[in-house]
Amino acid sequence: MEKTLPKQGETYFLNLRFILILTVFIGNAIEPLIRQMDGLHAIYLWIFTFHMPLFVLVTGYFAKGRLSGADGRKTMLQIGLQYIIFQSLYSFLDVTIFRVQNIHHSFFAPYLLLWFLASHMGWRLLTLGMCKLNPAAQIMISLVLGVLIGYLPLDGAWLSFSRTFVYLPFFVIGYHFSFDAFVQFFTKQKRRIAAIASAALFAIIAFWGLGMPEGWLFGSMTYMQLEHDEWYAGLYRLALYGLQFISAAAFLAWVPCRECRLTDLGRRTLYVFLLHGFIIRLVAISGLYNYIYHPAAAVLLIAGAVLLTIALAQPIVRKIAHPVIEPPVTWILRLERMALGRPL
């Protein structure tokens, strides 16, 4: 089942990964203002139609060759440590510095963006569990599970249970993604059409889609939490999958295939992902948003998010934060061998 990455595919998806973390930062930065400015609201909704599905797809793509075996086990341990470390850090700072109210701090309730870590472990385990099935069957089963999970009478945010299944199809597609087939299919003419479609979708959202229920885009709530108890509520999620697949495929047209500055930055997106939440929290408590009521100020806010994304992806940040962002797990493996009486 394990696969390898073609060099050109790795370059393309590193470029995509940085662009996506840029949209994540921008989306989180503008969220407090979307009720005040329709333009920011349109950008926010447009971003949510593709950025998480594509981010999960990229994660699945880079899981090739590291899903099982020693590498897969080491990756799972590292994700678990990252979750424990940052769940503790964010919760501690919420209580001591940020003083955010009405947030339930628990390792069973992933803190905001940390849902991705909890779900990442789930995607790996679920994909491994389907390893004997062909790719088409895996994708179909993951889509069915993504729809059915919404009917369960539970809190979808618990251990990111809902998002794990809702976004599972994108992880499976990413894992089985053939870059060679993609290049052959996605010709220059089709890229132009896709780019136009992506821009058109943004225009449609800006003019007619601002009333779109955001809860559906987050993937974190069950149908009951979304106030849809109808037996056919799963059809709404199927429709949303259609929108996300179209938006995600269209957005791929904006991603350069050649190696460039984005490629190197894309190697350190994990640092941006785990650290940018601290900046968002600091900006929120600083009162800065109270002074942003003009489009020019909103443009400056977005520009600041872009610059900070680039800054957090610099090698110096990795050098300083590496022990926390990518914690070593060899000591856990050593303790395990000692406990089992195996030679070190």
Side-chain angles (χ1 to χ4, degrees):
M1 184 180 178
E2 297 293 11
K3 304 164 184 284
T4 57
L5 302 176
K7 178 62 178 175
Q8 189 183 12
E10 181 181 6
T11 297
Y12 179 83
F13 278 98
L14 284 172
N15 293 340
L16 173 59
R17 194 160 72 177
F18 181 74
I19 294 173
L20 290 174
I21 198 61
L22 189 63
T23 63
V24 169
F25 204 143
I26 290 173
N28 289 334
I30 67 176
E31 183 176 11
L33 301 170
I34 61 175
R35 301 303 177 198
Q36 304 172 33
M37 300 184 186
D38 287 347
L40 293 184
H41 196 182
I43 293 172
Y44 183 80
L45 291 174
W46 178 65
I47 285 175
F48 265 88
T49 61
F50 66 80
H51 82 317
M52 273 303 124
L54 278 179
F55 219 124
V56 177
L57 186 146
V58 170
T59 303
Y61 185 80
F62 281 107
K64 296 177 189 285
R66 295 189 303 160
L67 193 62
S68 62
D71 286 340
R73 197 150 160 271
K74 183 178 177 181
T75 300
M76 287 288 284
L77 285 172
Q78 192 167 68
I79 296 170
L81 272 182
Q82 289 166 346
Y83 180 79
I84 292 171
I85 290 170
F86 279 88
Q87 185 78 359
S88 302
L89 275 175
Y90 275 109
S91 298
F92 175 75
L93 290 175
D94 259 5
V95 174
T96 59
I97 297 177
F98 302 143
R99 299 191 181 280
V100 179
Q101 303 297 319
N102 301 320
I103 287 189
H104 176 59
H105 298 290
S106 167
F107 284 107
F108 297 101
Y111 185 93
L112 300 178
L113 54 87
L114 297 183
W115 70 266
F116 195 89
L117 297 179
S119 288
H120 189 181
M121 291 188 283
W123 297 324
R124 284 175 164 268
L125 292 172
L126 289 166
T127 305
L128 275 174
M130 297 187 291
C131 65
K132 294 185 179 180
L133 302 174
N134 63 59
Q138 292 181 35
I139 293 170
M140 286 302 300
I141 289 173
S142 62
L143 283 169
V144 170
L145 290 174
V147 171
L148 293 181
I149 200 67
Y151 288 104
L152 295 183
L154 47 75
D155 182 354
W158 185 78
L159 277 181
S160 192
F161 197 75
S162 177
R163 280 168 163 159
T164 298
F165 286 94
V166 169
Y167 289 117
L168 177 62
F170 299 99
F171 186 88
V172 174
I173 291 171
Y175 183 77
H176 294 290
F177 194 93
S178 170
F179 188 75
D180 291 337
F182 172 72
V183 170
Q184 292 176 11
F185 173 80
F186 215 40
T187 61
K188 288 184 178 180
Q189 182 179 3
K190 289 178 179 176
R191 284 176 67 92
R192 285 193 288 267
I193 294 173
I196 293 171
S198 182
L201 178 60
F202 172 73
I204 291 170
I205 291 173
F207 286 102
W208 298 288
L210 295 183
M212 185 187 306
E214 295 158 13
W216 286 92
L217 294 172
F218 299 153
S220 59
M221 293 184 280
T222 61
Y223 304 143
M224 180 177 62
Q225 290 174 305
L226 290 165
E227 299 181 353
H228 282 275
D229 296 326
E230 309 92 345
W231 65 267
Y232 54 83
L235 295 177
Y236 298 134
R237 179 150 289 158
L238 279 177
L240 180 62
Y241 274 144
L243 171 64
Q244 290 174 324
F245 280 121
I246 292 170
S247 183
F251 186 79
L252 293 178
W254 302 109
V255 183
C257 293
R258 66 185 183 282
E259 188 166 348
C260 57
R261 177 59 174 157
L262 296 180
T263 312
D264 182 55
L265 294 172
R267 301 182 192 281
R268 295 179 292 276
T269 54
L270 180 62
Y271 289 77
V272 184
F273 183 76
L274 290 176
L275 295 175
H276 85 282
F278 295 116
I279 297 175
I280 296 296
R281 278 292 192 225
L282 286 171
V283 172
I285 66 171
S286 71
L288 177 65
Y289 287 112
N290 296 328
Y291 300 95
I292 302 177
Y293 45 82
H294 190 276
V299 171
L300 288 176
L301 176 67
I302 293 174
V306 172
L307 292 175
L308 286 168
T309 303
I310 296 172
L312 290 176
Q314 294 303 307
I316 184 63
V317 176
R318 181 175 190 172
K319 184 177 181 180
I320 295 171
H322 183 269
V324 178
I325 302 293
E326 299 180 86
V329 296
T330 51
W331 62 274
I332 299 178
L333 297 173
R334 192 179 300 113
L335 287 174
E336 181 187 55
R337 286 194 292 269
M338 290 174 59
L340 296 175
R342 296 175 180 173
L344 298 177

